[in-house]
């Protein structure tokens, strides 16, 4: 007997599986993608523009990326010059009536300024660190409420659902904050060396001093600068040296070879992570491993 093959139209399959989305969201970087996915659940299609293995500082969009942005109802970007090569395209979208939200640009100015620049006499030329998503308190107090507000404006009928999911996520982040604070309390005042200042907000939250090896985009310290860093590490109470997946490890490798300080590797964007809590927990686990000498 010949088996009959019944072809069901793709649209019908899609409808039956419940995967047709009326709301399309694009997040520029993975942390916001992870957060938005958790807030919207199955009520929107969420796409990621810049993969977690890519460096958003130097990302330049392809034609397919521009099309994805054009088709979005809402674009979530970090701002603060993180996606600097993308800003012209995002500004063009906004000028054509698309909803583009720069999360970092909504934060209070005093929160995002570098600590040494926070005084009443400096009113311009502030150096801003864009990596706000790595501070769990900034996430709970500002980022997630901003996202819920933006989502509720374009899908008001889902506002209660978004708020409920966000409340659960905030509870989880507050629990993580308590865990991180409890563990890192004994290291307050100690120095951490990092390959890039991505974790400035995180370590500052818990009272650790940060000494970045790389201050700019694609910078490599000179031999003289590395020698100064080696001398610095030998003369300070440095509890850990960390490379970062998205940045050069050359200087970190030299430092770890020249000193006896324990070292590890952090991930600011969440390669292979399924949620923002997993991203933060993974990094805290790596910090614990280095600090505890495991």
């Amino acid at each position: 007997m010949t088996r009959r093959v019944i072809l069901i139209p793709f649209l019908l399959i899609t409808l039956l599986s419940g995967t047709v989305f009326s709301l399309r969201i694009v997040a520029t970087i993975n942390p916001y993608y992870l957060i938005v996915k958790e807030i919207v659940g199955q009520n929107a299609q969420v796409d990621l523009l810049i993969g977690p293995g890519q460096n958003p500082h130097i990302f330049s969009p392809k034609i397919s990326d521009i099309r994805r942005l054009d088709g979005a109802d809402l674009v979530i970007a970090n701002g603060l010059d993180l996606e600097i090569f993308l800003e012209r395209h995002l500004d063009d979208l906004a000028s054509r009536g698309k909803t583009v939200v720069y999360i970092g640009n909504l934060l209070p100015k005093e929160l995002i300024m570098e600590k040494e620049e926070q005084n009443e006499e400096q009113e311009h030329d502030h150096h801003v660190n864009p990596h706000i998503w790595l501070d769990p308190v900034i996430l709970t107090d500002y980022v997630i409420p901003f996202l819920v507000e933006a989502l509720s404006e374009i899908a008001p009928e889902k506002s209660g659902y978004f708020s409920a999911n966000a409340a659960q996520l905030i509870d989880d982040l507050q629990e993580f904050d308590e865990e991180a604070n409890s563990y890192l309390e004994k290291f307050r005042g100690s120095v951490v060396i990092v390959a890039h200042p991505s974790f400035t907000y995180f370590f500052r939250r818990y009272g650790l001093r940060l000494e970045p090896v790389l201050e700019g985009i694609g910078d490599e310290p000179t031999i003289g600068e590395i020698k100064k860093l080696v001398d610095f590490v030998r003369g300070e109470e440095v509890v850990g040296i960390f490379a970062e997946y998205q940045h050069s490890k050359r200087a970190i490798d030299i430092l770890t070879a020249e000193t006896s300080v324990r070292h590890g590797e952090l991930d600011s964007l969440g390669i292979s992570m399924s949620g923002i809590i997993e991203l933060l927990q993974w990094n805290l686990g790596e910090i614990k491993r280095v600090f505890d000498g495991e």
Side-chain angles (χ1 to χ4, degrees):
M1 183 175 67
T2 302
R3 178 179 295 177
R4 296 180 63 189
V5 179
I6 301 175
L7 300 178
I8 302 176
F10 175 76
L11 179 59
L12 179 58
I13 294 175
T14 306
L15 287 169
L16 290 174
S17 64
T19 56
V20 172
F21 300 106
S22 59
L23 182 60
R24 298 173 61 91
I25 303 165
V26 172
T28 59
I29 61 172
N30 196 48
Y32 294 122
Y33 170 78
L34 298 175
I35 294 171
V36 172
K37 284 276 289 184
E38 193 155 348
I39 294 174
V40 302
Q42 297 298 314
N43 288 281
Q45 176 178 323
V46 186
D47 293 326
L48 173 63
L49 192 67
I50 306 172
Q54 298 175 280
N55 187 339
H57 293 289
I58 58 176
F59 175 82
S60 184
K62 303 186 294 291
I63 295 298
S64 58
D65 297 320
I66 300 301
R67 289 173 179 163
R68 190 181 308 171
L69 289 168
D70 283 342
D73 300 297
L74 173 64
V75 177
I76 303 295
N78 186 78
L80 305 177
D81 291 335
L82 179 75
E83 310 99 337
I84 192 164
F85 293 101
L86 191 60
E87 287 181 0
R88 179 173 61 85
H89 302 284
L90 297 181
D91 290 344
D92 177 63
L93 283 176
S95 70
R96 290 189 279 117
K98 292 282 186 178
T99 303
V100 179
V101 178
Y102 293 95
I103 295 295
N105 296 358
L106 299 176
L107 296 180
K109 184 178 292 186
E110 64 274 11
L111 190 65
I112 61 174
M113 289 158 47
E114 290 294 335
K115 186 175 182 181
E116 61 269 22
E117 295 178 342
Q118 292 181 15
N119 63 71
E120 65 278 2
E121 295 181 359
Q122 279 191 296
E123 297 180 355
H124 61 281
D125 196 28
H126 296 302
H127 175 65
V128 171
N129 186 311
H131 306 92
I132 55 173
W133 64 87
L134 292 167
D135 181 336
V137 178
I138 290 179
L139 290 180
T140 60
D141 291 358
Y142 297 97
V143 173
I144 292 176
F146 289 155
L147 289 172
V148 170
E149 181 179 353
L151 290 165
S152 297
E153 284 183 358
I154 60 173
E157 72 283 1
K158 298 293 183 181
S159 178
Y161 178 84
F162 297 153
S163 296
N165 285 350
Q168 181 58 59
L169 181 54
I170 286 173
D171 286 345
D172 293 341
L173 284 164
Q174 289 173 337
E175 184 176 329
F176 169 83
D177 175 53
E178 291 175 4
E179 176 189 352
N181 188 61
S182 176
Y183 173 76
L184 292 170
E185 175 67 32
K186 58 182 173 291
F187 298 101
R188 286 186 178 274
S190 299
V191 177
V192 177
I193 305 291
V194 293
H196 186 76
S198 301
F199 282 80
T200 296
Y201 292 98
F202 180 88
F203 284 116
R204 184 182 296 171
R205 171 64 57 190
Y206 302 110
L208 282 82
R209 295 167 52 202
L210 203 64
E211 186 68 26
V213 173
L214 306 178
E215 287 286 0
I217 301 171
D219 290 348
E220 284 283 0
T222 65
I223 295 299
E225 289 170 336
I226 291 177
K227 183 179 183 303
K228 287 181 180 179
L229 276 167
V230 170
D231 293 339
F232 175 84
V233 171
R234 289 172 176 168
E236 293 283 340
E237 185 185 348
V238 177
V239 292
I241 299 177
F242 294 97
E244 192 172 323
Y245 285 110
Q246 290 81 17
H247 298 280
S248 170
K249 294 174 59 178
R250 173 177 168 269
I252 295 295
D253 288 342
I254 295 172
L255 279 176
T256 56
E258 293 292 328
T259 67
S260 60
V261 178
R262 294 182 293 270
H263 61 280
E265 193 163 10
L266 299 176
D267 180 4
S268 63
L269 294 172
I271 297 173
S272 302
M273 304 295 175
S274 61
I276 192 67
I277 298 295
E278 183 182 355
L279 169 60
L280 293 171
Q281 284 283 10
W282 189 93
N283 284 293
L284 181 60
E286 180 69 354
I287 291 166
K288 288 181 177 181
R289 184 188 68 79
V290 171
F291 286 8
D292 293 340
E294 298 177 358

